[in-house]
Amino acid sequence: MCGITGYVGSRPAVETAIRNLKRLEYRGYDSAGVAYPAPAGVRIVKAAGKIAQLEASVQDQPMEAQVAIAHTRWATHGSPSQANAHPHPDCRGDLAVVHNGIIENYAELRARLRAAGHQFQSETDTEALAHLIEERLPEGEPTPQIFLEAVRQALREVRGSYAIAVISRFLGNAVVVARKDSPLVIGLGEAENFLASDIPAVMAYTRRVLILEDGDCALIEPDRVTISGLDGRLRTRNALHVDWDDQAAEKGGFPHFMLKEIYEEPRTVRDTLRGRLLADDRVTLPDVGFTAEQWARIRRVSIVACGTAYHAGLVGKRLLEQLLHRPVEAAVASEFRYSDPLVDPETLTLLISQSGETADTLAAMREAKRRGSPTLAIVNVVGSTLAREADAVLYTQAGPEIGVASTKAYLAQLTALTLLALYLAQNAGMPEEDRRRYVAALRALPEQIEACLSLSERIEAISAELAAMSCFFYLGRGYDYATAHEAALKLKEISYIHAEAYAAGEMKHGPLALIEPEVAVIGLCTQPATHEKMVSNLQEVKARQGTVLALLREDVPAPDTADYLIRIPATLDALSPILAMVPLQLLAYYVARQRGCPIDQPRNLAKSVTVE
Ligand code: G6P
């Protein structure tokens, strides 16, 4: 995710803001920039690539500024480039804005501002905000208070999420910040103040922080911070004392990136849905870029991916089949590319990838294109090779994922697949009532994921007992069988325990011979239609002294054969893989932690596999 820093006080502001920005480097970014007041307005310096490049570019600039804002960008709208890097100015160069988040109505704002004569220099959603503030400024030389009011007015017109910082020649030695659904903190110093999108970026200088809440705006001056709402009313926030060490700080206080990323899942799902569900419960995919004719030509879907993304594809296959009533294929990319894939101009080849750089997935996409198949990539990294080469892209909005074992990106992929399936079904005449049920269930997900996260302590306790098991089976039927594949992969990659996914009904055809007390069997029972069958399968395991953990919806009776129970909120069958995976990721995490494994960087594995 993008990073923001800023400084007001008597230190060299540009240097201080950039130094703090480096503490956010671990989050991943593709360009960086800084802005500070200059005699006639603001000066902006930006560079594609690493912060070191930005530092080289600012070296020859005079640096007496006592105010600066800086930014690392992880592309969401527009490719990673110097032009798209933040900060973004207004037309006159009187102000500069840095922003994290997504402005949903940016296309509309941009068109309106362009028509009013504003000149845009980038493809970003953020630049619309710079011009919108300019538009709201009265003629003449506004005072800082009037400038702040213009920012508030602009924000009232914005839909979406933001953490922003703005400097202007009208503000003097001050910065205006605001947040909604994107984090922003203020580090409090003595006659100096810091701002950042994350606590680690201010910790070198202060341990006293104010955490802004949604709807807060603040005017940050060296000796005071004034917080107000978008309505201009003053608000009070209490300062916290942060006593994390540096390593914990980088991970937002979590011991591992993997756990931090699991806790980011409610937000990931919310961000992936953002702007894609209309008020009347229709699904819109405006950024995908297929024409109506291209959408209409699709008769079949072939899903291709690797690893966790392939497992998302297994869920996607069922979901698309269920909603479209058409056969859908799902293949691992390394098999697809060397087979004689049955794709043609009427088959949509759907590539799924977090990184957008996986060699086999790229090769599969090129093979599908050679065969005349339209290609759509569900990708997390904007500007990645897959995003650039596929005919169309549906971005997941998971932000950078650092743990090698994929967690939040998987939930984002499932969310994007659900949106796509609903969009295609809606075009094919899905009954309105059914669509509304799905959309309501999608909207409920972030809170339900929070409920799953609240199981963490219980799962940790169960993990302490399961960590010594020699082998895990994950059993399920239907959607649960697809989930079982990803759950088994999570456990094996980080805990090094052998784990296998099995169709529950197949246990009797062989694997039951392996059951003994040191074998853990995780029964996934989230599908009401097959609940009783699953319970019988777990009884068969228990009768052979296997250790059974059952994962159930909260609204079904508990089987009396389970040694451990985990209950998740009820949702539609097709969405249960999203909720079920959260406790299963936590289970893998805590088992691996019990065993002292290097969770974020498991042996022999890489985050992005760019060779065959
Ligand atoms: C590697 C990673 C996995 C990931 C897979 C596919 O194996 O360790 O977490 O699922 O590659 O990567 P992609 O970036 O294409 O989703």
Side-chain angles (χ1 to χ4, degrees):
M1 207 66 68
C2 308
I4 290 178
T5 58
Y7 176 74
V8 288
S10 52
R11 295 174 201 263
V14 172
E15 213 179 296
T16 309
I18 294 180
R19 186 174 304 148
N20 285 350
L21 199 60
K22 283 187 179 164
R23 297 177 67 95
L24 298 174
E25 266 194 307
Y26 69 91
R27 293 145 61 114
Y29 62 98
D30 45 58
S31 53
V34 63
Y36 51 97
V42 291
R43 180 160 299 144
I44 295 175
V45 185
K46 313 199 273 194
K50 293 291 156 196
I51 295 177
Q53 259 127 313
L54 174 67
E55 279 180 306
S57 315
V58 288
Q59 251 164 24
D60 39 345
Q61 312 267 349
M63 298 258 244
E64 60 280 359
Q66 300 196 340
V67 181
I69 52 175
H71 189 267
T72 45
R73 172 172 188 257
W74 197 78
T76 58
H77 286 85
S79 57
S81 65
Q82 189 180 9
N84 287 336
H86 298 211
H88 291 289
D90 63 339
C91 296
R92 291 180 293 218
D94 283 341
L95 62 93
V97 180
V98 293
H99 163 228
N100 286 354
I102 301 169
I103 295 176
E104 286 168 24
N105 55 337
Y106 85 100
E108 188 184 312
L109 292 173
R110 201 179 162 100
R112 203 179 80 204
L113 290 159
R114 268 212 170 124
H118 290 264
Q119 306 279 330
F120 281 74
Q121 297 170 21
S122 77
E123 306 160 87
T124 62
D125 51 341
T126 305
E127 198 186 343
L129 191 55
H131 293 285
L132 194 56
I133 298 170
E134 179 184 20
E135 185 83 0
R136 295 287 159 260
L137 282 174
E139 287 298 317
E141 296 274 322
T143 63
Q145 283 306 330
I146 289 176
F147 186 88
L148 174 61
E149 182 48 32
V151 174
R152 287 196 200 103
Q153 280 179 18
L155 290 175
R156 290 203 289 263
E157 292 179 54
V158 159
R159 279 201 318 272
S161 63
Y162 53 79
I164 59 158
V166 192
I167 59 160
S168 166
R169 70 186 184 93
F170 305 126
L171 281 173
N173 279 356
V175 181
V176 167
V177 297
R179 77 154 269 178
K180 180 174 170 275
D181 291 340
S182 240
L184 200 67
V185 303
I186 300 171
L188 303 172
E190 292 298 325
E192 60 178 354
N193 286 308
F194 307 82
L195 65 106
S197 47
D198 215 346
I199 294 172
V202 302
M203 274 180 40
Y205 296 102
T206 177
R207 298 277 161 158
R208 275 207 320 137
V209 296
L210 284 175
I211 299 186
L212 292 189
E213 291 182 18
D214 281 350
D216 285 355
C217 275
L219 181 68
I220 308 176
E221 296 165 276
D223 51 359
R224 121 184 83 165
V225 174
T226 318
I227 302 176
S228 55
L230 287 189
D231 56 3
R233 281 202 209 146
L234 292 183
R235 295 179 169 184
T236 318
R237 303 278 169 240
N238 296 326
L240 301 178
H241 183 83
V242 179
D243 51 11
W244 300 340
D245 64 23
D246 273 10
Q247 276 216 333
E250 214 183 41
K251 298 173 186 124
F254 288 95
H256 296 95
F257 283 114
M258 181 179 174
L259 192 60
K260 173 174 183 274
E261 287 160 2
I262 294 173
Y263 273 83
E264 285 167 0
E265 288 176 340
R267 171 149 166 233
T268 295
V269 170
R270 206 173 278 128
D271 285 349
T272 304
L273 294 175
R274 195 181 296 289
R276 292 166 174 168
L277 299 179
L278 297 171
D280 64 357
D281 283 351
R282 275 183 313 114
V283 176
T284 172
L285 300 177
D287 47 338
V288 168
F290 273 146
T291 61
E293 293 74 47
Q294 284 172 307
W295 282 116
R297 206 177 307 140
I298 298 167
R299 294 274 162 275
R300 293 177 52 230
V301 181
S302 182
I303 303 176
V304 190
C306 297
T308 291
Y310 166 67
H311 294 154
L314 291 179
V315 177
K317 169 185 156 65
R318 284 177 189 277
L319 184 66
L320 285 157
E321 285 181 342
Q322 187 184 336
L323 295 190
L324 300 182
H325 310 290
R326 300 230 174 106
V328 175
E329 305 283 332
V332 285
S334 52
E335 290 297 316
F336 178 92
R337 63 184 292 197
Y338 293 117
S339 62
D340 188 5
L342 297 174
V343 296
D344 57 25
E346 295 196 334
T347 309
L348 173 70
T349 303
L350 183 59
L351 295 309
I352 309 174
S353 175
Q354 188 283 126
S355 63
E357 301 296 347
T358 303
D360 282 320
T361 310
L362 290 175
M365 174 201 51
R366 291 170 188 147
E367 181 56 37
K369 280 185 128 179
R370 253 194 301 279
R371 289 168 186 254
S373 164
T375 51
L376 169 59
I378 294 185
V379 187
N380 196 39
V381 179
V382 175
S384 56
T385 309
L386 191 61
R388 283 185 277 114
E389 290 189 22
D391 298 317
V393 185
L394 173 55
Y395 282 113
T396 50
Q397 299 290 353
E401 191 178 61
I402 292 163
V404 166
S406 185
T407 52
K408 62 175 180 170
Y410 175 74
L411 263 71
Q413 287 158 357
L414 295 187
T415 308
L417 280 161
T418 313
L419 287 168
L420 176 68
L422 280 173
Y423 183 74
L424 290 169
Q426 169 183 294
N427 292 350
M430 180 184 204
E432 184 182 329
E433 194 186 318
D434 291 353
R435 176 171 40 82
R436 285 189 186 272
R437 260 188 326 123
Y438 272 91
V439 171
L442 277 173
R443 293 192 204 273
L445 281 175
E447 262 183 43
Q448 292 182 314
I449 297 170
E450 299 278 3
C452 294
L453 291 172
S454 71
L455 300 167
S456 190
E457 243 175 68
R458 166 157 175 73
I459 295 170
E460 185 174 6
I462 297 174
S463 304
E465 296 182 36
L466 294 185
M469 295 279 149
S470 60
C471 167
F472 277 64
F473 276 100
Y474 288 83
L475 307 186
R477 289 167 180 261
Y479 282 108
D480 283 335
Y481 180 37
T483 305
H485 284 86
E486 175 57 10
L489 176 67
K490 266 326 65 124
L491 186 83
K492 74 182 116 190
E493 63 187 339
I494 60 168
S495 76
Y496 313 150
I497 300 177
H498 178 71
E500 206 172 334
Y502 235 85
E506 279 289 295
M507 281 301 276
K508 301 189 200 50
H509 299 290
L512 215 45
L514 297 173
I515 298 300
E516 53 187 10
E518 291 71 44
V519 174
V521 174
I522 315 297
L524 310 184
C525 317
T526 72
Q527 303 292 303
T530 51
H531 183 72
E532 284 176 8
K533 296 266 181 295
M534 273 305 303
V535 171
S536 314
N537 294 141
L538 295 181
Q539 264 155 1
E540 288 153 13
V541 170
K542 200 62 220 159
R544 281 133 190 113
Q545 275 81 52
T547 301
V548 173
L549 184 160
L551 186 130
L552 306 158
R553 281 165 46 145
E554 63 198 357
D555 57 350
V556 295
D560 49 13
T561 47
D563 299 290
Y564 306 99
L565 282 183
I566 298 175
R567 287 193 177 271
I568 58 168
T571 182
L572 298 179
D573 292 1
L575 299 189
S576 69
I578 296 181
L579 297 182
M581 202 53 219
V582 179
L584 295 168
Q585 288 168 347
L586 288 169
L587 182 75
Y589 171 80
Y590 285 116
V591 167
R593 199 160 130 185
Q594 278 288 326
R595 293 164 64 92
C597 298
I599 292 175
D600 285 331
Q601 282 169 335
R603 69 185 180 205
N604 308 339
L605 301 181
K607 182 73 188 153
S608 183
V609 179
T610 52
V611 290
E612 282 188 42

